Amino acid sequence: MQKNLVIVESPAKAKTIEKFLGKDYKVMSSYGHIRDLKPKEFSVDVEHDYKPEYVIPKEKKALVAELKKDAQDAEQVWLASDEDREGEAISWHLYEVLKLKPESTKRIVFHEITKTAILHAIDTPRDIDINLVNAQQARRILDRIVGFELSPILWRKVKPALSAGRVQSVAVRLIVEREREINAFVTESSYRVTAEFILPDGTTALKAELARRLKNKQEAMEFLEKCKNATFSVSDILTKPVKKSPAPPFTTSTLQQEAARKLGLSVTHTMMIAQRLYESGLITYMRTDSVNLSNLALETAKEAIINTYGEAYYQFRQYHTKSKGAQEAHEAIRPTYIANVEIDGEQHEKKLYELIRKRTIASQMADAEMERTTISINMNGSIERFVAVGEVMKFEGFLQVYLEGNDDEEESEQENGLLPPVILNDVLKLNTATAIERFTQHPPRYTEASLVRQLEELGIGRPSTYAPTIQTIQNREYVVKENKEGIQRTYSILKLSKSKIKESAKTEVVGADRGKLMPTDIGMVVNDFLMEYFPLVMDYNFTANVEKEFDAVAEGQMIWTKAIDNFYKTFHPIVESASAVKTEHKVGERELGVDPKSGKPVFVKIGRFGPVAQIGAHNADDKNAPKPQFAPLRKGQSIETISLEEALKLFDLPRTLGDYEEKTVVAAIGRFGPFIRHDGKFVSIPKDLDPLTITLEEGIKLIEEKRIKEAERFVKSFDEEPEMQILKGRFGPYIAYKGENYRIPKAVLDPGQLTLNDCQKIISEAAKGVFSKEKTAKGAKTTKDAVAEEKTPVAGKAKKRTVVKKTPAKKTAVKKITAKKNV
């Protein structure tokens, strides 16, 4: 009989913990939740206190049976899932499903996976906190109610297969409203004036800026004219010390923001890497609202700072969590051993660990001390003044280690380093003065990091929900993360030099964005529909208040069914009312005008595969009436901003370019973008060519290039089985047969020598499970979908299979992320 069974939720975590416990302990993984609400059913009994109907997924039944057997054989069961609400719920489900007994079951928690922390947890067990469990249940059930009641309405009113969520819908609203702010923004210009003065010694230059912006070119010209004969003198010299303090250690949201700014990581990728570091025992728990550091961490940080930089660089700081209901853990994200300067592991793991360590160290370091000097320069006979600002570092303090990033995109003001020495009332000679036209900037689009910050400021979501929320709205194609090309803009420059004013013009590219979150047409239409019919769900304060109620449940101050009931009694009647509303047009449909050729109305709307333009309307009463014409919108076009003229141009496609090899060449746009069709085959049109203007010669070139690629890809075909081919893929040779792809075993050194029987045998063995059958990966392009692209599902599936088959190897890889001590 096994004396002790420890159950955690992750195999990597199990592997790390196993190293710290003796032979009397067996550590097993539940691989996350072992049961959940039924995936395709409502699973909430509204009539009986919102009782959830949980089910063990088919793929977890064997694991549950194994856990149950080992739990029955053990003298003591230790439930060691994470210490947040999700982890508490996992432990509770294990307790219920495995039918554990209270006298032989203990709950242990720890916020770092170190030997000291694990042994301390064993010495100080507790019971399952049912309040935390109920808070998790409340969130899960409320989100199920919203999803299951709202989604069918979206299917009927907008487009099939859409879905809505409580937090996700509010996140989409933020992005939609920001995009509309940008579209409505009217740029205003002004002139920024900078000048270079010569000090009384005749050689030293001092740069300064006019204290205000001038409204227009005329005002700028008039000001420069006044400067020609003006006298300038130093009217004030102000020197004052400035201190800059370090940022607190990382919480979940600040880690996600900094990893995005400094490492270019998405919030999802950041959390995956952080999870691996945590499970390897290298950092503390990564889902936390707290900025607190333990006494041990404070002492080790102090030791590291004094030993490396000296006592002058150390300053004790105790940070306190500001957010109400900080739920997740009791400490900030920090290295488990601050003395470990580096770790072994993948590049991103090393970089994220370094970021966490530096932030932790910096939080306990002295302020940076600077001296800021401001020189004011008066212009005789005028109230105008120029200002020169210089800043000199006196003591680096924490900046020796770390400087927090920011998302500000505004133009930085001119700032010098060390300013030259000047004396009050010194008369200065104006060398040059330049007035440059500048423009107001529209509000910045959200990045993943800035969206996390905004959600946190509004009190929407919690550390465990930020990454899934942002991933979900992108998966549902309500929001895309992409680049936007800028446009050229001309600006004016007026320069005064040697008593002459010269005017010139330059161009700049503005409005370019990289990796920003932008709403899709579907996202905008769904947002507008929800805003009109479900304003309560979309209200920022309401969503934040729901989070507060979850916090109250977690603290035992509110019964979870009461929180659900408060919501449901308000929400359900709105659902029934919205479901009964009949509209003349489909939600999101916009009439642009009339087609001058046919006299029929022109609409844009959300179609089955996305936004489309439509000429003519359906006539259900007349079966012989001509059907409407449809054309998909092009990338960069939106149903919200497209004009009638732009929509009508879409119907110029498909467009016949001419004949090649006695076959017609046609340019068109399909579901996956613009393409050329010739002799039943398709070739993608690249971004630098337009299907509306592409020539026959350019089309022929694309056809020939594709043929060359296909010839390089082709290995072998069989006359007796025309549907079977051996092809080369990015990840090696494979067999393509009847729309399916099959990996050729590595033992086959020359795929070209395979016979038809050999290929049939490979396919047969794959069906039996000897080799995995290479079905098209979900979301990958199939032969039908791809437009002149290599069939990549093989590669995608092969990669996926490797991950699934090599779970033990993956554990080992995680185990190998080890720390290097500073010697």
Side-chain angles (χ1 to χ4, degrees):
M1 177 183 274
Q2 180 68 46
K3 194 170 182 182
N4 292 281
L5 174 66
V6 180
I7 305 177
V8 297
E9 67 274 71
S10 142
K13 185 175 172 181
K15 195 78 177 174
T16 307
I17 290 173
E18 216 163 28
K19 295 185 296 185
F20 304 134
L21 300 173
K23 59 181 180 0
D24 289 338
Y25 290 83
K26 181 178 181 180
V27 186
M28 295 182 72
S29 169
S30 69
Y31 291 83
H33 281 278
I34 59 166
R35 69 175 182 177
D36 197 0
L37 300 174
K38 295 177 182 178
K40 294 183 179 180
E41 295 179 30
F42 187 44
S43 297
V44 178
D45 189 349
V46 176
E47 302 299 324
H48 296 88
D49 260 352
Y50 306 95
K51 184 181 177 183
E53 297 175 40
Y54 292 115
V55 65
I56 299 168
K58 187 178 178 181
E59 65 272 14
K60 286 287 183 82
K61 286 188 175 176
L63 172 66
V64 169
E66 189 182 351
L67 288 169
K68 190 175 284 188
K69 181 181 178 300
D70 281 56
Q72 288 170 350
D73 292 343
E75 292 178 19
Q76 186 77 49
V77 178
W78 305 82
L79 301 175
S81 51
D82 291 339
E83 61 177 328
D84 59 6
R85 297 174 192 177
E86 207 69 35
E88 204 71 21
I90 288 172
S91 283
W92 178 75
H93 283 297
L94 284 165
Y95 183 87
E96 294 285 315
V97 172
L98 303 183
K99 294 183 169 52
L100 302 177
K101 297 174 183 177
E103 62 270 15
S104 60
T105 305
K106 292 180 179 177
R107 170 81 170 114
I108 56 172
V109 294
F110 37 84
H111 57 266
E112 61 181 56
I113 305 176
T114 60
K115 186 171 185 177
T116 304
I118 301 301
L119 295 178
H120 177 73
I122 295 282
D123 290 339
T124 56
R126 63 168 173 80
D127 294 329
I128 290 172
D129 188 333
I130 200 65
N131 292 326
L132 292 179
V133 175
N134 287 337
Q136 188 274 344
Q137 282 198 110
R139 176 186 290 280
R140 185 78 185 90
I141 290 167
L142 190 143
D143 287 346
R144 174 58 64 97
I145 289 170
V146 172
F148 263 70
E149 296 218 341
L150 270 189
S151 298
I153 297 176
L154 293 177
W155 301 344
R156 293 195 299 272
K157 303 288 185 183
V158 184
K159 178 179 174 284
L162 294 178
S163 57
R166 182 179 55 87
V167 177
Q168 295 95 315
S169 298
V170 175
V172 173
R173 178 187 170 186
L174 283 167
I175 294 163
V176 169
E177 288 182 346
R178 178 57 57 87
E179 194 67 23
R180 285 182 174 151
E181 276 183 69
I182 292 167
N183 291 338
F185 187 81
V186 179
T187 299
E188 295 179 358
S189 70
S190 62
Y191 280 76
R192 176 187 177 197
V193 182
T194 57
E196 183 180 85
F197 297 95
I198 303 299
L199 271 55
D201 65 5
T203 55
T204 307
L206 173 64
K207 291 180 179 178
E209 181 176 336
L210 190 66
R212 71 179 182 96
R213 297 286 177 100
L214 304 178
K215 292 178 183 177
N216 49 48
K217 186 189 286 188
Q218 183 182 343
E219 190 176 353
M221 188 69 82
E222 289 172 357
F223 176 76
L224 292 180
E225 285 290 348
K226 289 179 182 176
C227 288
K228 286 182 180 179
N229 301 313
T231 303
F232 299 91
S233 60
V234 177
S235 59
D236 189 30
I237 304 168
L238 177 64
T239 300
K240 64 176 182 179
V242 176
K243 287 189 176 183
K244 190 187 284 282
S245 298
F250 281 129
T251 61
T252 301
S253 68
T254 54
L255 176 64
Q256 290 169 348
Q257 291 166 50
E258 277 292 82
R261 296 180 193 120
K262 292 185 181 293
L263 306 179
L265 298 177
S266 69
V267 293
T268 303
H269 196 184
T270 298
M271 294 311 290
M272 285 171 58
I273 298 167
Q275 177 116 11
R276 291 204 295 270
L277 294 174
Y278 165 68
E279 290 174 345
S280 302
L282 296 171
I283 64 169
T284 52
Y285 192 53
M286 66 286 158
R287 282 189 278 272
T288 175
D289 285 348
S290 176
V291 291
N292 181 48
L293 290 174
S294 68
N295 290 333
L296 179 62
L298 291 170
E299 281 301 315
T300 53
K302 176 182 178 181
E303 186 180 332
I305 292 164
I306 292 173
N307 289 345
T308 309
Y309 304 104
E311 194 145 356
Y313 282 83
Y314 171 71
Q315 182 176 329
F316 171 78
R317 298 175 192 272
Q318 187 76 58
Y319 296 95
H320 298 286
T321 304
K322 292 179 183 176
S323 59
K324 274 191 175 182
Q327 65 170 56
E328 304 298 347
H330 310 296
E331 198 172 357
I333 303 169
R334 61 163 175 83
T336 50
Y337 299 105
I338 289 173
N340 295 334
V341 179
E342 296 178 358
I343 61 166
D344 288 327
E346 295 174 5
Q347 198 62 29
H348 279 142
E349 290 162 350
K350 290 180 177 181
K351 287 184 176 179
L352 192 66
Y353 177 84
E354 181 186 23
L355 196 69
I356 292 167
R357 184 180 183 276
K358 285 183 173 180
R359 176 85 164 218
T360 307
I361 291 281
S363 73
Q364 295 301 308
M365 292 181 74
D367 291 341
E369 296 175 11
M370 290 153 280
E371 187 177 80
R372 180 174 295 160
T373 302
T374 304
I375 300 172
S376 296
I377 301 166
N378 273 7
M379 179 177 174
N380 71 312
S382 172
I383 59 169
E384 306 291 358
R385 68 186 178 95
F386 284 88
V387 177
V389 180
E391 204 168 80
V392 180
M393 183 72 67
K394 292 293 187 181
F395 176 66
E396 278 187 310
F398 76 94
L399 291 177
Q400 177 85 13
V401 175
Y402 185 86
L403 175 62
E404 186 179 27
N406 65 71
D407 296 314
D408 292 342
E409 296 181 2
E410 294 180 10
E411 220 178 313
S412 59
E413 296 297 316
Q414 180 174 321
E415 192 172 279
N416 304 287
L418 182 64
L419 295 177
V422 293
I423 298 171
L424 198 63
N425 300 320
D426 266 356
V427 176
L428 310 179
K429 178 187 174 185
L430 178 65
N431 187 28
T432 60
T434 307
I436 302 176
E437 188 178 17
R438 301 319 299 141
F439 300 86
T440 51
Q441 296 179 326
H442 63 66
R445 289 182 173 89
Y446 286 108
T447 60
E448 287 192 355
S450 61
L451 181 60
V452 166
R453 185 178 64 191
Q454 186 64 28
L455 289 170
E456 186 180 37
E457 285 177 2
L458 291 170
I460 297 167
R462 288 296 181 262
S464 58
T465 65
Y466 299 136
T469 295
I470 291 173
Q471 191 63 49
T472 299
I473 62 178
Q474 291 179 70
N475 291 345
R476 289 177 178 171
E477 296 183 352
Y478 293 156
V479 170
V480 291
K481 183 168 72 173
E482 60 184 20
N483 303 333
K484 188 175 180 67
E485 292 181 8
I487 56 170
Q488 277 207 336
R489 177 174 68 193
T490 302
Y491 63 97
S492 173
I493 300 173
L494 305 174
K495 186 169 184 178
L496 170 63
S497 179
K498 298 178 180 177
S499 298
K500 290 183 180 179
I501 299 173
K502 288 184 180 179
E503 183 177 348
S504 60
K506 288 188 177 181
T507 59
E508 60 185 350
V509 175
V510 295
D513 269 328
R514 293 186 63 81
K516 297 296 180 69
L517 297 174
M518 303 177 200
T520 62
D521 277 326
I522 293 173
M524 285 186 161
V525 169
V526 169
N527 175 76
D528 291 349
F529 176 77
L530 295 176
M531 285 294 291
E532 183 175 355
Y533 294 101
F534 298 92
L536 183 71
V537 175
M538 302 295 282
D539 183 76
Y540 298 134
N541 291 328
F542 171 78
T543 308
N545 286 334
V546 170
E547 297 290 351
K548 289 176 184 174
E549 289 190 350
F550 292 158
D551 292 341
V553 172
E555 291 162 13
Q557 297 171 359
M558 189 175 192
I559 299 170
W560 74 272
T561 51
K562 175 72 173 169
I564 299 294
D565 198 51
N566 290 344
F567 173 82
Y568 189 75
K569 284 181 176 174
T570 306
F571 175 69
H572 187 66
I574 300 172
V575 171
E576 292 185 324
S577 173
S579 188
V581 171
K582 292 184 178 180
T583 54
E584 186 178 343
H585 294 293
K586 199 169 184 181
V587 173
E589 190 171 277
R590 177 172 160 247
E591 188 169 346
L592 302 180
V594 176
D595 174 23
K597 292 180 182 176
S598 64
K600 294 178 180 178
V602 180
F603 304 92
V604 281
K605 65 179 187 179
I606 299 297
R608 186 181 172 192
F609 298 114
V612 295
Q614 172 184 330
I615 296 179
H618 288 283
N619 189 341
D621 299 327
D622 185 359
K623 293 182 179 179
N624 298 319
K627 293 181 179 178
Q629 293 175 267
F630 296 95
L633 268 61
R634 303 186 62 188
K635 188 173 181 181
Q637 291 181 326
S638 166
I639 62 174
E640 194 161 279
T641 57
I642 192 171
S643 66
L644 174 63
E645 185 183 359
E646 289 168 334
L648 290 173
K649 277 186 181 179
L650 297 171
F651 292 92
D652 291 345
L653 299 172
R655 184 175 146 252
T656 301
L657 305 185
D659 289 347
Y660 176 57
E661 297 175 344
E662 299 182 355
K663 303 282 184 180
T664 305
V665 180
V666 175
I669 296 179
R671 185 180 169 191
F672 297 102
F675 64 89
I676 294 288
R677 186 175 68 241
H678 174 257
D679 195 19
K681 295 184 178 178
F682 301 87
V683 187
S684 291
I685 297 176
K687 289 181 181 179
D688 57 340
L689 294 174
D690 188 326
L692 290 168
T693 58
I694 190 171
T695 64
L696 177 62
E697 291 71 23
E698 289 168 330
I700 291 170
K701 185 181 177 184
L702 293 176
I703 292 166
E704 292 294 342
E705 286 173 352
K706 186 191 176 185
R707 285 178 178 174
I708 293 168
K709 284 182 181 177
E710 286 190 337
E712 292 170 351
R713 211 169 124 243
F714 178 80
V715 177
K716 191 174 185 178
S717 63
F718 303 93
D719 293 337
E720 54 268 58
E721 186 56 84
E723 288 188 84
M724 187 179 292
Q725 288 183 316
I726 300 175
L727 302 171
K728 289 178 189 171
R730 282 193 300 163
F731 295 89
Y734 64 96
I735 298 166
Y737 183 56
K738 292 186 176 180
E740 305 275 357
N741 299 325
Y742 302 86
R743 188 181 66 172
I744 294 173
K746 290 180 180 179
V748 178
L749 300 177
D750 185 358
Q753 297 299 314
L754 290 172
T755 65
L756 178 61
N757 286 338
D758 293 333
C759 292
Q760 288 171 336
K761 186 180 178 184
I762 289 170
I763 292 169
S764 173
E765 287 175 337
K768 291 175 186 174
V770 180
F771 302 112
S772 290
K773 187 176 180 183
E774 304 292 354
K775 290 184 179 177
T776 304
K778 184 179 180 182
K781 292 174 182 165
T782 63
T783 313
K784 294 176 185 175
D785 296 336
V787 182
E789 289 182 12
E790 174 185 296
K791 293 185 202 171
T792 55
V794 180
K797 271 310 220 184
K799 191 173 182 181
K800 186 176 180 182
R801 184 179 59 254
T802 303
V803 172
V804 173
K805 295 263 185 179
K806 294 190 177 180
T807 305
K810 192 173 180 183
K811 290 185 209 170
T812 307
V814 174
K815 185 180 175 183
K816 283 181 180 175
I817 307 173
T818 53
K820 294 178 182 176
K821 288 197 176 181
N822 188 20
V823 180

